[in-house]
Amino acid sequence: MKKNNLPRGLRNNNPGNIRRNSDVFQGEKTSPDREFKQFKSMAYGYRAIFKILFNYYRNYKLDTIRKMITRWAPPKENHTEAYVKAVSDYAGIPADDPINVNDREQMIRIVAGMSKVENGVDADMPDVINGWEML
């Protein structure tokens, strides 16, 4: 697939479609996209998702897929229930089971599932794994 035919999140190396804000992540670059961040590589984009989910856990005690996705993709702008179900099914983790954010395999499956929902295509697993390894 040519780069300009890719979904916006993949064109921006931002598989989570992280909106522009004052937070600056490792590997972030100046984005010509008015709404979404851009990263130097997909691995940096995945790393940013992991960092945000860790912050959700640490700062807001969000410890399940449902709680995390509800904050990530609020119902006012998303079909949150469908998003939760898709990530839960993809990861093989019930939506209301507590997650261990330090569990590499769980987190990689969750973030890959989020990427699939955000972009409509399967995540490139080596990129997801590289994002985890960069933490």
Side-chain angles (χ1 to χ4, degrees):
M1 223 188 282
K2 292 209 300 265
K3 188 89 168 160
N4 45 356
N5 292 343
L6 291 173
R8 186 181 199 174
L10 302 185
R11 287 194 312 269
N12 287 337
N13 288 326
N14 179 359
N17 285 315
I18 300 166
R19 292 193 181 278
R20 289 177 66 157
N21 61 26
S22 60
D23 298 337
V24 179
F25 292 93
Q26 192 176 317
E28 189 176 334
K29 64 183 198 174
T30 306
S31 177
D33 188 314
R34 297 164 88 92
E35 289 184 64
F36 296 98
K37 293 181 175 286
Q38 278 193 339
F39 294 93
K40 293 177 187 168
S41 71
M42 288 300 284
Y44 279 119
Y46 283 115
R47 180 188 179 279
I49 300 170
F50 287 122
K51 293 297 270 186
I52 292 168
L53 296 181
F54 288 155
N55 285 337
Y56 284 3
Y57 180 80
R58 191 174 55 243
N59 300 335
Y60 307 103
K61 307 294 181 253
L62 304 183
D63 62 351
T64 68
I65 289 174
R66 182 178 315 283
K67 289 176 187 172
M68 287 179 172
I69 298 301
T70 300
R71 182 170 177 97
W72 183 273
K76 68 181 186 322
E77 45 185 87
N78 298 275
H79 191 324
T80 305
E81 266 314 299
Y83 198 139
V84 168
K85 182 176 181 351
V87 173
S88 174
D89 290 351
Y90 185 96
I93 301 166
D96 297 305
D97 278 14
I99 296 164
N100 174 358
V101 293
N102 298 309
D103 182 319
R104 177 184 185 273
E105 294 312 312
Q106 268 193 346
M107 293 304 292
I108 286 171
R109 292 197 319 265
I110 290 166
V111 168
M114 290 172 67
S115 178
K116 180 164 183 161
V117 172
E118 292 285 345
N119 300 292
V121 295
D122 281 327
D124 188 10
M125 292 311 285
D127 286 335
V128 184
I129 292 164
N130 286 339
W132 175 268
E133 303 291 332
M134 294 165 88
L135 291 170

